[in-house]
Amino acid sequence: MQLIARGQPFEARHFGYGVLQHVVAERWSQFTQPERQELAKLVYDKLSECGAVPADEPPEPFMIKSKVATLMAQVVRQEGVGMWSSIMPEMAAGACSESPVQAELSALVMRYVAEDVAVYNSDILGGRMKELLYGLTSTLPQALPAMYRLLEVSEDFVLFSQCFPRLTRPRFATRSGTRRR
């Protein structure tokens, strides 16, 4: 755990997170339930630590943020829907946060979890795949408004919406299939 400590060089931390990713991906089944919970808590704490950088310090480089978010996604993939459902409110709140670092980390975790389950899923078997997909789709009411809020505060999206207002207004489908504004 000392490799991923905040005082270590970025390269050492990147390597340490890579080792943890390997442990979570390949050795998760060898841990007892309390050890899994402890490791999941450690990863979540590291994610929170990465997002809570003091204002007088520079933010973590993307290579560290990406590794931490990927590691959290790997833990969710291994632990299942319960883990995703428990962290989703914090991820949605983080995406709506005023802190750009926290918003970026939350968006990265949501992206990596969705990619792991929906795209890179060749090793996930039948029932587990359905369970994870159901878990993802059941949290869409929390995720989509958070992501839309994140887009609204993005400078590029603001400029785009000013140029093309009809394309950026949210539309909602009704039960009859017609769209309303």
Side-chain angles (χ1 to χ4, degrees):
M1 296 305 140
Q2 291 194 9
L3 271 179
I4 60 173
R6 194 161 178 83
Q8 296 293 336
F10 295 133
E11 295 82 4
R13 293 175 64 204
H14 189 267
F15 177 75
Y17 283 119
V19 169
L20 277 176
Q21 257 181 284
H22 173 77
V23 167
V24 170
E26 304 297 327
R27 311 247 176 186
W28 190 258
S29 61
Q30 297 173 2
F31 290 113
T32 64
Q33 190 60 31
E35 290 171 331
R36 289 179 187 177
Q37 289 173 344
E38 186 178 328
L39 188 55
K41 183 179 177 344
L42 170 81
V43 172
Y44 185 78
D45 289 347
K46 286 297 178 181
L47 183 72
S48 298
E49 177 186 307
C50 192
V53 177
D56 59 337
E57 291 184 26
E60 296 281 4
F62 183 78
M63 69 178 192
I64 299 297
K65 290 187 279 192
S66 177
K67 277 293 192 179
V68 175
T70 303
L71 182 58
M72 187 75 238
Q74 192 66 37
V75 169
V76 167
R77 181 182 179 147
Q78 295 294 335
E79 199 60 19
V81 175
M83 172 64 77
W84 178 244
S85 298
S86 68
I87 69 165
M88 186 55 208
E90 287 87 9
M91 294 298 110
C96 292
S97 170
E98 293 298 320
S99 164
V101 175
Q102 187 65 40
E104 180 183 21
L105 275 170
S106 297
L108 282 172
V109 170
M110 287 190 264
R111 172 189 171 196
Y112 293 153
V113 169
E115 281 181 352
D116 276 358
V117 173
V119 179
Y120 306 113
N121 58 11
S122 60
D123 61 330
I124 303 175
L125 302 175
R128 180 139 175 87
M129 169 67 96
K130 284 183 180 179
E131 177 187 327
L132 286 167
L133 285 173
Y134 176 76
L136 278 175
T137 56
S138 69
T139 58
L140 281 177
Q142 292 172 308
L144 291 179
M147 297 307 287
Y148 191 78
R149 164 73 171 80
L150 190 58
L151 280 175
E152 282 181 327
V153 298
S154 167
E155 291 175 16
D156 293 335
F157 184 76
V158 170
L159 179 62
F160 181 79
S161 65
Q162 289 170 351
C163 295
F164 302 101
R166 289 184 51 80
L167 296 177
T168 56
R169 273 188 251 143
R171 297 180 181 186
F172 305 98
T174 62
R175 289 183 187 239
S176 64
T178 61
R179 293 189 181 258
R180 64 177 173 85
R181 292 182 191 223

